[in-house]
Amino acid sequence: MGEDLEAVVQQLKELVADLSVDWTRPHPNRVYISVEKQNVRELGRIIFEDFGARFATATGSDVGEELEVIYHFAYDAVGLVANMRVRTPKGDPVVPSVTPVVPAAEWIEREMNDLVGIVFEGHPDPRRLILADNWPEGVYPLRREHRDGA
Amino acid sequence: MSVVERMKLWGLKKSPWVYHLNTGACNNCDIEILELLTPRFDVERLGVLLAPSPRHADALLVTGICTKQARPRLQEIYRQTPKPCLVVCIGACACTGGIFHDGWHFDGPVDEAIREVDPDAMIIYIPGCPPKPEAMIATIAKALGDL
Ligand code: SF4
C-alpha cells in the first residue's frame, strides 16, 4: 500500500520540531522550511537521513540585501518536495556546507560559490567549478551588482 | 593554385572528414549532428566521416556560443587542423551568439575567434535553433560545390 501524504508531512514536521524552523506549506505537495544558519547542516541531515528524502538540487539567489540558498529534497513515494531555505546577509556570505552529510550537494555548492559568491563553510573541496579559468576572483556573475554593471 | 593545393581541395570535397566541437552549446545542435551521423540521415553514404582528432579533419562542426573558457581551445583546435579546413558554424549560437549574446560567459561569436587565428579561414554558417539535419546537408553540399 502506498504511503499517505498527510502522514508523511506530519512525520517530517515532527522530525524538524526540535530545531527552530519556520514551517509553511504553500501547496499540499510542497513545504518550505526556513532555518537559521547554525542549524542548516543538522536540518539537512534530518531531512536526508532520518526522513529519507532524496536530494534533488539546490539553488542560490541574490534577493537584494541578502543571499538565499534553497536545498530541494524530494520524497518521491508521495510526490512531496521539501525546501530547506537559509538566508545570509551579503556582508557575511557564509553558510555551513551540507556536503558532509549530503555528499551529492558537493558540486552544486561549488557552483553557487562560483556564481553567487556564497561561501560554504566546511565544504571538503571548495575549488572553482564552472567559471572560466581566467575569470577574475571576487566577481559573481549572478549577483545583482554584476547584472546592473555596478 | 598549385597541384598539391588542388589535390587537397579535391580530397576535401570528395570526402570531408569532420570533427565535432562543442564550444558552449545547449546540446541540442549536437543532438542534430548526431542525427546526421546515425542511420536516418547517414551522411557517411555521402563521404562525410566523423574524425576522432582535429588533426585528421577537413571540416570543424562548431556548435554553441564561444565561451570564455572555450575560446582559446577552439583556436588551438583550429590551429591543429590541416589546411584547407572548412569551419561550419552550426546553429544560431555559433553564428552570432544567439539567445546568449549578452551572457556573461560569451566571448564569441565563433567566426571572430577563428578569424583572430586565420583571417582567411573558410567559414560557413547554418542558422537555426537548432538547424535541421536537412539544412546542414544542403548547406555543406552547397559550400563544397562552391569551393
Ligand atoms: S542554436 Fe539553439 S539549439 Fe543550438 S546550441 Fe544554441 S540554443 Fe542550443
Side-chain angles (χ1 to χ4, degrees):
Chain A
M1 210 186 85
E3 291 174 83
D4 171 52
L5 175 65
E6 293 310 316
V8 168
V9 171
Q10 192 54 37
Q11 186 203 354
L12 177 60
K13 199 167 186 174
E14 282 163 18
L15 280 171
V16 303
D18 289 346
L19 301 173
S20 58
V21 299
D22 177 35
W23 172 285
T24 47
R25 194 174 171 195
H27 183 270
N29 285 338
R30 167 83 64 160
V31 293
Y32 289 159
I33 311 173
S34 301
V35 65
E36 293 299 321
K37 268 199 227 184
Q38 65 272 15
N39 289 332
V40 164
R41 194 174 297 167
E42 177 58 9
L43 181 60
R45 193 195 62 74
I46 289 173
I47 301 176
F48 184 62
E49 282 180 10
D50 299 348
F51 180 58
R54 170 175 70 84
F55 175 69
T57 187
T59 40
S61 49
D62 178 348
V63 289
E65 296 303 305
E66 294 183 311
L67 302 171
E68 183 178 52
V69 188
I70 308 179
Y71 292 89
H72 310 265
F73 292 90
Y75 194 85
D76 296 321
V78 293
L80 175 73
V81 176
N83 298 109
M84 173 170 84
R85 313 173 73 160
V86 57
R87 285 191 175 200
T88 185
K90 272 188 183 166
D92 174 30
V94 183
V95 296
S97 165
V98 302
T99 304
V101 289
V102 186
E106 179 172 350
W107 277 30
I108 191 67
E109 285 187 345
R110 283 169 68 185
E111 183 173 338
M112 289 190 280
N113 180 236
D114 279 12
L115 300 181
V116 203
I118 301 165
V119 179
F120 291 91
E121 205 167 28
H123 190 290
D125 182 23
R127 284 172 301 141
R128 173 172 288 191
L129 179 64
I130 66 166
L131 287 181
D133 296 338
N134 59 359
W135 185 269
E137 285 294 333
V139 179
Y140 305 112
L142 297 190
R143 283 270 186 106
R144 290 180 191 218
E145 307 89 272
H146 190 270
R147 182 197 61 188
D148 300 339
Chain B
M1 203 186 275
S2 72
V3 176
V4 174
E5 281 172 350
R6 281 220 300 278
M7 275 182 64
K8 283 181 176 172
L9 204 58
W10 173 84
L12 190 161
K13 290 167 73 168
K14 174 85 178 157
S15 172
W17 287 22
V18 299
Y19 183 76
H20 171 202
L21 177 64
N22 177 332
T23 58
C26 76
N27 203 35
N28 209 338
C29 283
D30 307 279
I31 293 169
E32 297 301 317
I33 291 177
L34 249 120
E35 284 267 305
L36 278 183
L37 303 167
T38 43
R40 181 151 192 139
F41 290 95
D42 190 16
V43 284
E44 212 170 306
R45 73 203 148 100
L46 308 172
V48 180
L49 192 70
L50 190 68
S53 159
R55 293 181 194 276
H56 300 165
D58 297 307
L60 289 181
L61 305 181
V62 188
T63 60
I65 66 165
C66 188
T67 63
K68 287 184 166 45
Q69 183 82 348
R71 188 178 174 113
R73 290 158 178 83
L74 168 67
Q75 293 176 332
E76 183 54 34
I77 285 173
Y78 180 75
R79 281 193 203 99
Q80 290 182 2
T81 57
K83 309 293 177 301
C85 176
L86 185 66
V87 178
V88 189
C89 299
I90 294 183
C93 285
C95 293
T96 63
I99 54 172
F100 303 111
H101 66 94
D102 56 359
W104 46 269
H105 45 354
F106 178 56
D107 202 13
V110 168
D111 57 354
E112 263 180 44
I114 298 283
R115 293 234 190 269
E116 203 177 89
V117 182
D118 177 5
D120 303 320
M122 296 186 291
I123 304 182
I124 65 172
Y125 305 87
I126 310 180
C129 183
K132 285 184 149 206
E134 292 95 326
M136 298 188 200
I137 296 175
T139 312
I140 293 173
K142 183 165 189 299
L144 294 181
D146 287 350
L147 279 181

